[in-house]
Amino acid sequence: MALTKAGAEFTLHPYEHDPAAQAYGEEAADALGVPYERIFKTLVAEVESGLAVAVVPVAGKLDLKAFAGALGGKRAAMADAAKVERVTGYVVGGISPLGQRKQLPTVVDSSALGFETIYFSAGRRGLQIETAPANLIALTRAITAPIAKPA
C-alpha cells in the first residue's frame, strides 16, 4: 500500500457495505459515524487532456467548471463508469485516489486542508482510509483547489 511504503500514518476503517446502497460515501459516513464533510469521494472526469481525478467531500458535488479550471482547462465531464473502472483498476463506489493503475492528474478539494485527518476509499466498498490530507496530496501529487459546491 502506498501509505505504508511512504511511512505515512493511517488507519483502515472497515464497515459492512450494503449491496443495495447507491450513495457509497454517505453510506461510509453513516456506518463510521463521521461527518459528511470529512469523508471524501473519488470521482474521475474527462478534461481536455484526458482523465483526471477529483477528490471532494461527500457533503458536496464536484464543480466541473472549477475542476477544469484547476487543471488549466475550460471544461470537464464525468467519465464513463466502465472506462473509469478499466483505467483505475477499481470498481465504482470503491475507487481510491491511491494505487490506481495509471497516475492521473489529481485535484483535492481545498476543504480537506481544514481537517487533521480525512477519510477516503481504500479501494473497495466497505473500507475507508483515514489519514492526514497532506499524505494524500503528496502521494497523488495532487493540487488543491476549491472544486466542490454544495449538494
Side-chain angles (χ1 to χ4, degrees), residues 21-91:
Q22 293 299 306
Y24 304 111
E26 288 86 343
E27 177 195 29
D30 293 342
L32 298 172
V34 175
Y36 287 9
E37 294 79 19
R38 274 186 70 199
I39 298 240
F40 284 70
K41 55 190 170 187
T42 307
L43 304 172
V44 180
E46 296 263 4
V47 292
E48 287 97 339
S49 58
L51 292 178
V53 174
V55 182
V56 296
V58 300
K61 291 175 95 134
L62 175 60
D63 180 335
L64 288 164
K65 193 169 180 65
F67 179 62
L71 292 167
K74 292 200 183 324
R75 65 181 68 85
M78 294 309 296
D80 171 68
K83 183 176 185 180
V84 169
E85 290 182 349
R86 195 171 55 252
V87 171
T88 65
Y90 293 120
V91 297

Side-chain angles (χ1 to χ4, degrees), residues 1-12:
M1 175 180 267
L3 288 162
T4 305
K5 263 193 229 163
E9 280 188 37
F10 68 94
T11 307
L12 288 177

